[in-house]
Amino acid sequence: MPTHQVQLSPYEIEVTEVTYQQFLAFMNILGPGSHRNGCGGQPCLQTFTESDTSNITLTTTYVVPSVISNHPANNVTWHGAQAYCQALGRRLPTEAEWEFAARGTDRRVYPWGNLWEATRANTNRRLDAQEGTEPVDAYPDGISPFGLFNMAGNVAEWVQDWYSPVYYNQQVSGGVAPVDPTGPAVGQEKVVRGGSWDAVPFFARTMHRQVHEPNDPEAWIGFRCAADPQAAQQPVQALPVVQPTIDLNAIGAGVPGGTDEETTANSQPTLPPPPTLAPTSTLSQPLATLEPGG
């Protein structure tokens, strides 16, 4: 993809990736068994039963080992990520918003600058040779110009856009940069941005693009939410905006059609506070440049 400039209205984006603690609180509001079709009628996540790469288990509730509760939630579908953000009155960032938040106005190759440094991001080139995620506030020396953590590693992140190799070429009209592009209206694969613990540094570049089917969760894909300034001021909602296919009022009465791993919830939890939102610009239309990806 050649270089493109776009204009972005003010927006806010979460400083850290969404943690297991935050996402599973949302899932436990939906109730046991909801991971199969509880996010707008689509799957939300994979448990260990469906994939041995998942750390999430389901007994009476969705849980992970407490030692990783502040690690980024992964094995989450695009629909699960979208439903969580909507439950908070937020949304997934667009591809253009994500890239601008990662690289800033000086068009950095990595969130911290233009030279690769292995100590600033969790990729498969870690000096300690360990594998897997780290807490969402790890690697403070690798923050972006706007103070965002782990835009180059830990987990790659779902964004709002469907993928198209020609979308940005089609948006340019008379040399004028498109305003707030959101990607194609339809598609088969969603865009994923950022590097991960499972990827080489090439994937950690701020302009790198990947694509992935929205219902194909992976241990290396997580997400963070964004918001329009007015939406960011709304109080956190206790229940999701996207109506699940199970009855929230029936939590505690069992889920019809469940398997032996699905049991009733003991009580209805509440969502923990979401990550802090960082404003990306006070300009009415900040100019962002999308570099060639790949």
Side-chain angles (χ1 to χ4, degrees):
M1 183 181 78
T3 300
H4 295 285
Q5 286 193 326
V6 301
Q7 296 183 78
L8 297 175
S9 300
Y11 66 102
E12 296 181 311
I13 188 168
E14 290 174 348
V15 171
T16 57
E17 295 155 333
V18 174
T19 66
Y20 277 123
Q21 179 186 13
Q22 292 158 336
F23 185 71
L24 294 186
F26 164 72
M27 290 302 304
N28 286 324
I29 290 173
L30 295 184
S34 58
H35 69 284
R36 293 188 177 88
N37 62 359
C39 292
Q42 299 292 328
C44 304
L45 59 83
Q46 287 186 138
T47 67
F48 183 77
T49 300
E50 289 91 33
S51 171
D52 61 7
T53 68
S54 177
N55 293 306
I56 303 168
T57 57
L58 173 59
T59 53
T60 58
T61 58
Y62 294 97
V63 296
V64 294
S66 60
V67 69
I68 61 169
S69 63
N70 66 336
H71 285 219
N74 56 75
N75 266 291
V76 175
T77 67
W78 180 90
H79 296 283
Q82 180 194 46
Y84 171 88
C85 293
Q86 288 181 334
L88 299 178
R90 300 180 178 182
R91 56 178 174 78
L92 288 172
T94 66
E95 181 176 17
E97 289 172 338
W98 191 99
E99 184 170 317
F100 185 63
R103 68 189 325 205
T105 58
D106 54 0
R107 299 166 57 182
R108 302 175 181 188
V109 176
Y110 303 102
W112 56 84
N114 293 323
L115 298 178
W116 170 251
E117 297 181 56
T119 59
R120 293 181 184 262
N122 181 14
T123 69
N124 74 353
R125 293 295 187 269
R126 284 173 55 171
L127 300 182
D128 61 9
Q130 298 296 311
E131 291 187 351
T133 58
E134 293 285 347
V136 295
D137 58 356
Y139 297 91
D141 290 339
I143 61 173
S144 81
F146 298 107
L148 277 64
F149 287 77
N150 291 300
M151 299 292 274
N154 219 15
V155 288
E157 300 176 15
W158 293 115
V159 295
Q160 179 178 322
D161 307 41
W162 290 107
Y163 171 73
S164 168
V166 298
Y167 172 77
Y168 286 100
N169 286 334
Q170 295 171 340
Q171 298 306 301
V172 176
S173 176
V176 178
V179 178
D180 297 328
T182 58
V186 295
Q188 294 183 329
E189 296 174 306
K190 289 290 185 179
V191 178
V192 176
R193 299 301 298 257
S196 76
W197 63 268
D198 194 38
V200 297
F202 178 82
F203 290 79
R205 296 172 303 138
T206 54
M207 72 288 291
H208 184 73
R209 313 172 81 201
Q210 301 180 70
V211 298
H212 211 72
E213 294 182 2
N215 279 340
D216 185 17
E218 299 282 1
W220 52 270
I221 301 178
F223 69 102
R224 73 183 73 213
C225 304
D228 301 317
Q230 63 274 19
Q233 305 306 316
Q234 295 178 0
V236 173
Q237 300 182 51
L239 293 176
V241 173
V242 178
Q243 183 64 34
T245 56
I246 62 171
D247 183 359
L248 289 176
N249 295 322
I251 292 178
V255 180
T259 68
D260 57 4
E261 72 169 357
E262 297 172 3
T263 55
T264 59
N266 294 324
S267 62
Q268 185 165 313
T270 57
L271 289 173
T276 302
L277 286 158
T280 55
S281 178
T282 57
L283 299 176
S284 60
Q285 288 189 327
L287 191 65
T289 300
L290 299 180
E291 292 286 359

